[in-house]
């Protein structure tokens, strides 16, 4: 049995065509079902639905043989014990620093003031500002980072931006790009060794599909 870990929403939606290219189909939509284990047309392949930030953990500890995770999640967690053979080019976005409209970010940085930064991506933010020599106080949040500068919780946020409409709707502007993000195929190396016969064709089909 091969177990593939995915998160629902954009990663599931954008991985489906790749699974199809590997001849794997599921009739269940995780957005409509409460099932956490989805069968496929292949009796020896199943999908599990977990939180996006839990995908690397499932694959690392063998709860899944492979999975799809954003580079944001892998950078933040370190990606230890994972083989990352493929950039799938899906769920693209950018990791950005954003501030309130009118906040003079360049000036604040130049003056060497301690910047208050709210983010879910504490490790990524810490490394980014350290590499620039900017002193920051990091405030860990679990979501809706865009709110923090509006209520004075933070001067800046570090968050993902794709269309930019969330920033715009909250009168925030992106002032710096930290990284270009896309999703990666992640594989448990021990599983690959033991189940190569079933797994390799899936990896090959994914590689072919993403060109
Ligand atoms: O939602 P949950 O807390 O369960 O977890 P999650 O947010 O980590 O999962 P999910 O499914 O929302 O995102 C999974 C992966 O999709 C992320 O790890 C990224 O690699 C990728 N991705 C691509 C994005 C976005 N684009 C994105 N725009 N993840 C989140 N966003 C959010 C962003 O945080 C912000 O709140 O969308 C908002 C901005 O979108 P725009 O279009 O308004 O700019
Ligand atoms: Mg989300």
């Amino acid at each position: 049995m091969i177990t593939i870990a995915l998160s629902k929403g954009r990663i599931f939606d954008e991985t489906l065509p790749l699974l199809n290219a590997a001849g794997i189909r599921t009739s269940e939509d995780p957005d409509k079902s409460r099932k956490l284990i989805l069968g496929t047309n292949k009796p020896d392949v199943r999908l599990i639905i977990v939180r996006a930030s839990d995908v690397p953990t499932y694959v690392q500890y063998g709860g899944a043989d492979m999975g799809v995770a954003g580079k944001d999640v892998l950078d933040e967690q370190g990606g230890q014990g994972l083989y990352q053979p493929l950039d799938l080019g899906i769920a693209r976005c950018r990791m950005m620093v954003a501030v309130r409209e009118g906040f003079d970010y360049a000036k604040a940085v130049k003056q060497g003031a301690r910047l208050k930064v709210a983010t879910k991506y504490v490790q990524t933010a810490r490394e980014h500002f350290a590499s620039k020599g900017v002193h920051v106080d990091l405030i860990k949040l679990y979501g809706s980072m865009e709110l923090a500068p509006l209520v004075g919780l933070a001067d800046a946020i570090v968050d993902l931006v794709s269309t930019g409409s969330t920033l715009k709707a909250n009168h925030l502007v992106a002032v710096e790009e930290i990284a270009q993000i896309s999703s990666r195929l992640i594989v448990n190396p021990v599983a690959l060794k033991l189940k190569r016969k079933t797994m390799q064709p899936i990896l090959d089909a994914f590689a072919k599909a993403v060109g």
Side-chain angles (χ1 to χ4, degrees):
M1 175 65 75
I2 301 299
T3 303
I4 305 175
L6 299 173
S7 53
K8 49 173 143 175
R10 65 190 111 221
I11 286 188
F12 183 86
D13 297 345
E14 295 186 40
T15 302
L16 266 191
L18 301 173
L19 288 170
N20 289 347
I24 300 165
R25 276 159 234 286
T26 179
S27 50
E28 290 166 296
D29 177 353
D31 283 320
K32 295 191 186 106
S33 153
R34 290 180 183 274
K35 280 196 195 167
L36 299 175
I37 301 180
L38 310 182
T40 73
N41 61 321
K42 289 194 185 285
D44 56 349
V45 179
R46 63 179 181 178
L47 312 178
I48 62 170
I49 304 301
V50 303
R51 284 293 284 266
S53 46
D54 289 335
V55 170
T57 308
Y58 274 87
V59 177
Q60 182 185 349
Y61 294 105
D65 301 300
M66 53 199 271
V68 176
K71 183 173 184 292
D72 50 319
V73 169
L74 295 166
D75 283 350
E76 184 67 16
Q77 300 183 359
Q80 292 95 343
L82 297 170
Y83 170 45
Q84 298 184 32
L86 213 51
D87 180 350
L88 300 175
I90 61 169
R92 284 182 184 281
C93 56
R94 299 186 295 162
M95 185 68 75
M96 306 283 283
V97 180
V99 299
R100 261 169 77 169
E101 284 169 11
F103 179 85
D104 195 340
Y105 176 71
K107 189 173 162 199
V109 164
K110 209 165 75 196
Q111 283 175 345
R114 268 191 104 79
L115 211 60
K116 274 193 292 174
V117 179
T119 187
K120 180 161 123 181
Y121 302 96
V122 171
Q123 204 47 42
T124 301
R126 182 177 290 120
E127 279 166 29
H128 172 70
F129 290 107
S131 76
K132 285 171 53 88
V134 175
H135 295 288
V136 290
D137 289 320
L138 293 167
I139 301 166
K140 166 82 186 183
L141 293 176
Y142 292 88
S144 303
M145 272 80 85
E146 294 87 356
L147 182 62
L150 306 182
V151 296
L153 181 67
D155 304 309
I157 61 171
V158 167
D159 194 10
L160 299 172
V161 178
S162 48
T163 62
S165 52
T166 307
L167 290 184
K168 202 163 175 210
N170 292 293
H171 305 287
L172 301 174
V173 285
V175 288
E176 215 159 65
E177 178 179 300
I178 299 178
Q180 304 259 356
I181 304 293
S182 56
S183 290
R184 310 298 155 107
L185 185 65
I186 59 174
V187 176
N188 179 298
V190 176
L192 183 59
K193 222 177 252 169
L194 297 175
K195 307 183 191 178
R196 168 122 19 213
K197 245 181 104 182
T198 329
M199 287 175 73
Q200 193 63 50
I202 302 176
L203 302 194
D204 292 345
F206 272 48
K208 192 163 168 239
V210 301

